[in-house]
Amino acid sequence: MAPTMMKAAILKELGQPLVIEQVPVPKPEGRHVLVRVQAASLCHSDLTIIQGQVGVGAKPPLILGHEAVVVIEELGPEASKYGLKVGDRIGGPLWQDWCFDCYECKSIGTEFCSKITMRGVTSQGFFAEYTTMDAASAVVIPHNSPATAAQLSPIFCAGITVWDALSRAELKPGETVAIVGVGGLGEIATKYAQAFGAKVIAIDVHDGQLESVKAGGSADEVLNTRGLEPMELIGRIRELNNGRAVDAAIVTSGSNAAYSTGMSILRPLGRLIAVGIPPEEVPFNAAVVAIRALKIIGAKVPGQTGTAACVEFCQRKGIYPKVNPRKFQLEDINEMIDLMSAGKVEDGRMVIQFF
């Protein structure tokens, strides 16, 4: 039986540190379930939410956090039809509360539904001891899974986003993919790309992050692009790739410079996959896109179907994000935010472990 009160990390004011408070444990309604949070990881998107830079606009007071592993404590009145039961360990993507009735839900994917809510943005998130969760978005994690909750937690945003990107890139074995930005998302992307059979070139401006993926064995080549002029950049890429530009570039960094890098190193008919979201619009040279017949493809957090496929892929391949060995507590959340803001992520994803 859940208690009546719980600890939560609350964004009280945009741009300010989160506040740890005691708040009431929510009640599951409709198809929602009450869950106890086992592990919740910090995502770079949380930083943009705190600063008020997300397009939909987060409205304080708000409990942040949108990637976690949780355990079901109680079913809402309409949740049982989704096959869940008390004690199930589950994870879920950012999206929830889709309608199932609109054209997007029926024909494209529930993640495109105009009625969805965004966990930790327009609905309460996982940086709390308990929360409620849409049963329709849940992905059950087998109890015999070899991975820890801390390893699994970052999959439910960072992992599924870059898995979606690599799926949309339609990589063929032997192709070369550049991962532009190898922090949290990019580190996972290098592992997935190798599992897809691609040659991986890791690109960043931080030596620590490049050294981390190189030491982890998930990058065939690494390149620090800081200070490189455009001709020098493509020259270095050709040196690393048998005289060729890359077949695909997945940009996980949220900067215009990263997108310029990704575009400039593609071969004709190459694919640029957009993942990172800069705070300002990204300009592009339409002539270059047209003359070289480049493809620009968006990737996003998938819905329940894509999330389940990614989780199955990770467990079948034994591929998990690199996790910071420190066992963070909820009270450490503002320190975690400061570390991520400073780019100190080479030790792996920072995860709050509740139990």
Side-chain angles (χ1 to χ4, degrees):
M1 181 108 179
T4 58
M5 301 294 289
M6 67 178 185
K7 282 193 301 184
I10 303 172
L11 176 66
K12 291 292 192 77
E13 184 179 347
L14 295 176
Q16 297 301 310
L18 304 190
V19 178
I20 308 297
E21 283 189 354
Q22 288 282 332
V23 298
V25 173
K27 297 291 185 182
E29 299 178 350
R31 68 186 195 213
H32 279 230
V33 295
L34 175 68
V35 297
R36 184 164 55 119
V37 181
Q38 191 171 20
S41 42
L42 182 67
C43 176
H44 193 272
S45 297
D46 292 314
L47 274 60
T48 64
I49 295 165
I50 291 169
Q51 297 302 324
Q53 295 174 348
V54 291
V56 294
K59 295 180 180 179
L62 177 69
I63 300 172
L64 267 61
H66 56 266
E67 50 183 47
V69 171
V70 301
V71 177
I72 296 178
E73 293 280 313
E74 180 184 344
L75 300 180
E78 300 170 19
S80 59
K81 65 183 178 181
Y82 293 96
L84 302 177
K85 59 183 183 297
V86 172
D88 279 348
R89 188 166 66 144
I90 60 174
L94 172 68
W95 318 117
Q96 60 177 11
D97 300 321
W98 44 76
C99 71
F100 284 119
D101 292 324
C102 66
Y103 168 77
E104 286 78 9
C105 280
K106 291 179 178 179
S107 303
I108 304 176
T110 54
E111 63 267 35
F112 296 100
C113 177
S114 63
K115 296 182 180 179
I116 55 174
T117 63
M118 301 169 63
R119 178 167 294 283
V121 183
T122 59
S123 61
Q124 301 300 329
F126 289 116
F127 292 156
E129 293 176 302
Y130 292 85
T131 190
T132 59
M133 183 172 160
D134 184 356
S137 71
V139 174
V140 177
I141 301 166
H143 284 291
N144 62 355
S145 170
T148 65
Q151 288 175 306
L152 291 166
S153 175
I155 291 174
F156 288 96
C157 178
I160 59 180
T161 301
V162 294
W163 185 87
D164 185 72
L166 284 157
S167 299
R168 295 182 191 278
E170 297 182 343
L171 291 172
K172 301 177 180 63
E175 286 193 317
T176 300
V177 59
I179 309 297
V180 186
V182 289
L185 274 73
E187 185 270 337
I188 306 172
T190 60
K191 293 177 177 177
Y192 290 176
Q194 278 196 340
F196 277 51
K199 176 179 178 179
V200 179
I201 300 178
I203 295 176
D204 209 301
V205 294
H206 298 288
D207 284 331
Q209 291 171 194
L210 291 167
E211 290 166 2
S212 179
V213 295
K214 185 69 172 178
S218 59
D220 299 285
E221 304 287 353
V222 299
L223 177 62
N224 190 322
T225 58
R226 185 180 295 277
L228 290 181
E229 296 297 327
M231 293 305 295
E232 293 178 298
L233 172 60
I234 188 61
R236 291 294 307 278
I237 290 293
R238 292 184 186 279
E239 289 175 9
L240 298 174
N241 196 37
N242 300 316
R244 299 176 57 244
V246 302
D247 301 287
I250 296 176
V251 183
T252 68
S253 174
S255 74
N256 281 357
Y259 278 92
S260 295
T261 293
M263 188 78 73
S264 68
I265 61 177
L266 288 172
R267 64 162 172 82
L269 304 181
R271 293 94 72 193
L272 179 83
I273 316 299
V275 177
I277 304 176
E280 65 280 351
E281 291 186 2
V282 179
F284 72 95
N285 189 321
V288 171
V289 174
I291 291 169
R292 294 166 62 195
L294 302 178
K295 295 180 180 179
I296 301 176
I297 304 168
K300 66 177 294 181
V301 177
Q304 196 271 351
T305 301
T307 299
C310 176
V311 172
E312 188 280 329
F313 171 83
C314 291
Q315 297 193 99
R316 175 164 43 87
K317 296 287 188 179
I319 299 173
Y320 302 104
K322 180 180 179 181
V323 174
N324 192 305
R326 178 174 166 184
K327 187 175 181 179
F328 290 95
Q329 304 299 305
L330 187 63
E331 290 78 6
D332 299 321
I333 184 63
N334 289 309
E335 180 188 354
M336 295 163 63
I337 290 168
D338 289 342
L339 288 169
M340 183 171 281
S341 298
K344 297 179 180 179
V345 296
E346 59 271 12
D347 289 334
R349 304 287 293 187
M350 290 179 281
V351 183
I352 296 169
Q353 299 183 55
F354 290 86
F355 67 96

